[in-house]
Amino acid sequence: MLTGGPSSFSIMNSSLAQPLHYAGGYEPQDSKEWKVVIPAFLGVICLAGFAGNVCVIGVLLYNSKKGKPSMIHSLILNLSLADLLLVLFVVPFRAAAYSKGTWYLGWFLCKTSDWFRHACMTAKSLTIAVVAKTCFMYANNPAKQVNIKWHTICAGLLAIWLVALGIPLPLWFFSSLWEPEAGSALCIVIVPARAHEFMSAFVKLYPLLVFCLPLTFAFFYFWRAYGRCQRRGTKTQNLRNQIRSRCLTMMLLSVTVASAVMWLPDWISWLWLWHLKEDGPAPPQGFMATTQVLMFAISSANPLIFVLMSEEFREGFKGLWKRLTLKKPLPTPEDQDETAADNSEGIPDPITPSPEAESPNQEKATPPAPHTSESMEIKKEMPVLPDVEQFWHDREAVPDAQDNDPIPWEHEEEQTVGCDKKSLRSES
C-alpha cells in the first residue's frame, strides 16, 4: 500500500491524484515521538524477523537433505524467504524514512521500495493459497507417498514470484521524486493524466487479486482439510499420519489467520487514501503508522507460530541452538583420518585400515582367533577314548524317537512295566 495522507500541495486536477500519496513508506510526521517510536518498533521487528526466519530456513534445508523434497516444506521455505527479504531490504529503509523529515534515500529506492514490498507480500499471499491446496491433498490421503521432483517444485515457486513481481509494476512506474522546495525532496506517486482511468481501476482490482481472492481460496481449502482431519481413521489407516495431518493443517491455518488479521488494516488505509475526496477526512498519522507496523510484524510472527505449533520445528530449533552453544566442536571426518594416521605411525602394516573398519565391535571380534588355536591344541593334548567315541557315534546314528513322541509319559510307563517283568522272570 502507498502510505501517506493529504497535503497542502496539489499535483493534478483529478480527484484521484489531488492528495499526496507517499511512496517508500515515507510520510512527514508532526510529532517527534512518532519519529522515534516507529523506527524503534520496526527495528525490533527487523531483528526478530531476521533471526526467526533464518532459523526456519536452516531447519527446512537441513531436513531436506535427509529425505525427499516435500512440496509443503518448499512452500513454507518460500514463505520464510519472502519474510526474510522484507526484513532485510524493506523494513530498515522504512525505519530510516520515518526518522527523517525529508526523503534522502535516493531515486532508486524511491522507485523500487513500494514495488518490492508489494511483490514480497503478493508472493506470500499466493504461497498461502498454494499451500492450502497442497495441505488439503495431503489431508485427503495422509498415508499416500507423493514424490515430487526438485525441478517441479522450483518451477512452481518461480511462477509464484513472476506473478508477484509483475502485478505491482504500476507502483514502480508512477513512483518518483518531487522537490517542492530547494533542498527538500518527497517520494510520491505521480499519475500522468493519460493513466488516470487505468490507475482508478488498478487501485480497486489490486486488493481483490492480492488479498481477497488468495486468502478466500486458502480458507476454503483449509476448511475442507480440517474436515478431513476430523474423520475417524479406519483400521488400515495410519493414525500417526492422521495426527500429523491435523497438526499441519492447524499450523498453516494459524499462519493464514494471522496474516489476514494483521494485513487487513493496511488494505483499509489503501482504500481510504485512494478514494479520499478533496474535503474528506484523512486517515490519522497514528493509524497509518500502526498499519505498517502490523503488516511488517507478520514476518516475525510466522516463525513464532511454527515453533509453538510444530514439534518438528521445535526439535530443529533445539538442534540449531545446541550446535551454536556447543563449546567444543564435534570432530570432523578429516580430523578422525588425521588422528588415525598419527596413531598408525611406526606400524609396518601395508594395508591402512579405514576409520569405519576400526570400530569397537570389530576390535572385540578379532580376539577369538588365538582362542580357537589354543582350543585346537587342547584337543590335541586330550585325546578321546575309543569306548566313549563309539558311544557317542551310536548315539548320533540312532534317531531319537522320544524327541518326536507326542505322549512320552505313556511310553515311559510301558518301559517301566517291561523292566519290572524282566526282573521278575530273572528272579524266578
Side-chain angles (χ1 to χ4, degrees):
M1 157 202 149
L2 301 178
T3 61
S7 177
S8 58
F9 301 104
S10 179
I11 303 176
M12 300 178 187
N13 295 327
S14 172
S15 60
L16 180 67
Q18 273 186 357
L20 285 182
H21 297 277
Y22 295 97
Y26 167 76
E27 180 184 0
Q29 298 289 334
D30 298 334
S31 175
K32 295 182 179 180
E33 288 76 10
W34 284 111
K35 294 182 180 180
V36 178
V37 173
I38 297 174
F41 275 111
L42 293 178
V44 173
I45 291 171
C46 184
L47 294 177
F50 175 78
N53 287 287
V54 166
C55 292
V56 170
I57 293 174
V59 170
L60 292 174
L61 292 178
Y62 179 74
N63 291 339
S64 64
K65 295 180 180 180
K66 296 181 179 179
K68 297 179 180 180
S70 171
M71 187 64 183
I72 294 180
H73 282 184
S74 300
L75 292 172
I76 296 176
L77 177 65
N78 190 55
L79 195 66
S80 298
L81 179 62
D83 285 330
L84 185 63
L85 292 175
L86 281 172
V87 299
L88 284 179
F89 300 107
V90 178
V91 178
F93 299 108
R94 293 292 171 104
Y98 268 105
S99 63
K100 298 293 182 178
T102 58
W103 183 265
Y104 66 99
L105 299 176
W107 172 84
F108 180 76
L109 289 178
C110 177
K111 295 285 290 185
T112 58
S113 179
D114 256 8
W115 166 77
F116 186 72
R117 195 265 292 181
H118 278 272
C120 292
M121 296 300 295
T122 303
K124 291 172 59 176
S125 181
L126 297 177
T127 302
I128 289 174
V130 177
V131 79
K133 174 66 175 179
T134 309
C135 182
F136 167 73
M137 295 172 60
Y138 177 73
N140 194 24
N141 191 0
K144 184 179 180 181
Q145 296 290 337
V146 180
N147 296 328
I148 302 176
K149 297 181 180 179
W150 274 113
H151 66 269
T152 304
I153 297 176
C154 294
L157 298 181
L158 180 62
I160 290 175
W161 277 101
L162 288 177
V163 174
L165 293 172
I167 292 179
L169 278 177
L171 302 179
W172 184 343
F173 294 146
F174 300 141
S175 297
S176 181
L177 281 177
W178 181 49
E179 296 183 3
E181 299 176 357
S184 63
L186 299 176
C187 183
I188 60 176
V189 177
I190 302 177
V191 183
R194 61 181 181 274
H196 284 173
E197 295 182 359
F198 169 78
M199 201 62 181
S200 178
F202 174 78
V203 297
K204 295 179 177 66
L205 293 176
Y206 184 62
L208 295 176
L209 296 175
V210 173
F211 180 76
C212 297
L213 291 180
L215 293 183
T216 302
F217 181 87
F219 280 120
F220 173 72
Y221 275 103
F222 278 131
W223 173 69
R224 295 185 64 185
Y226 183 76
R228 294 283 184 178
C229 294
Q230 291 299 107
R231 294 183 178 181
R232 293 183 179 180
T234 59
K235 294 182 180 180
T236 58
Q237 188 177 7
N238 193 339
L239 182 59
R240 182 179 180 184
N241 290 334
Q242 188 178 8
I243 296 174
R244 184 181 181 185
S245 174
R246 186 185 299 113
C247 295
L248 179 65
T249 303
M250 293 304 299
M251 181 189 71
L252 297 175
L253 179 60
S254 301
V255 171
T256 305
V257 171
S259 299
V261 171
M262 300 174 73
W263 199 10
L264 180 60
D266 188 67
W267 289 109
I268 294 174
S269 60
W270 164 281
L271 296 174
W272 192 345
L273 285 172
W274 281 104
H275 295 84
L276 182 64
K277 295 182 180 180
E278 185 176 359
D279 298 331
Q285 292 181 345
F287 174 75
M288 300 297 301
T290 304
T291 58
Q292 291 223 358
V293 171
L294 284 176
M295 179 194 60
F296 289 122
I298 301 173
S299 300
S300 57
N302 287 340
L304 183 62
I305 294 174
F306 292 148
V307 174
L308 294 177
M309 303 192 67
S310 175
E311 184 179 358
E312 182 179 0
F313 279 103
R314 284 197 297 270
E315 296 298 329
F317 273 89
K318 290 179 182 178
L320 288 177
W321 178 256
K322 288 180 180 179
R323 290 190 176 187
L324 292 175
T325 57
L326 191 62
K327 296 181 180 180
K328 188 176 181 180
L330 297 175
T332 60
E334 297 178 357
D335 297 337
Q336 293 179 359
D337 293 340
E338 293 177 359
T339 305
D342 295 338
N343 294 334
S344 61
E345 289 182 357
I347 301 176
D349 190 2
I351 302 177
T352 304
S354 62
E356 297 178 357
E358 297 177 357
S359 60
N361 295 331
Q362 293 183 356
E363 291 178 1
K364 293 179 181 179
T366 51
H371 179 70
T372 54
S373 60
E374 292 178 1
S375 61
M376 294 295 293
E377 294 177 359
I378 294 172
K379 288 182 179 180
K380 291 181 180 179
E381 295 177 357
M382 298 177 63
V384 182
L385 298 177
D387 52 351
V388 177
E389 185 177 1
Q390 182 66 24
F391 170 77
W392 285 112
H393 177 72
D394 297 339
R395 185 79 173 175
E396 293 175 356
V398 177
D400 191 0
Q402 295 180 357
D403 295 339
N404 299 325
D405 193 356
I407 47 176
W409 55 87
E410 295 184 0
H411 291 85
E412 290 179 358
E413 294 177 357
E414 293 177 358
Q415 291 177 2
T416 305
V417 174
C419 293
D420 294 339
K421 291 180 179 179
K422 289 180 180 180
S423 60
L424 292 172
R425 290 176 182 176
S426 60
E427 291 176 359
S428 60

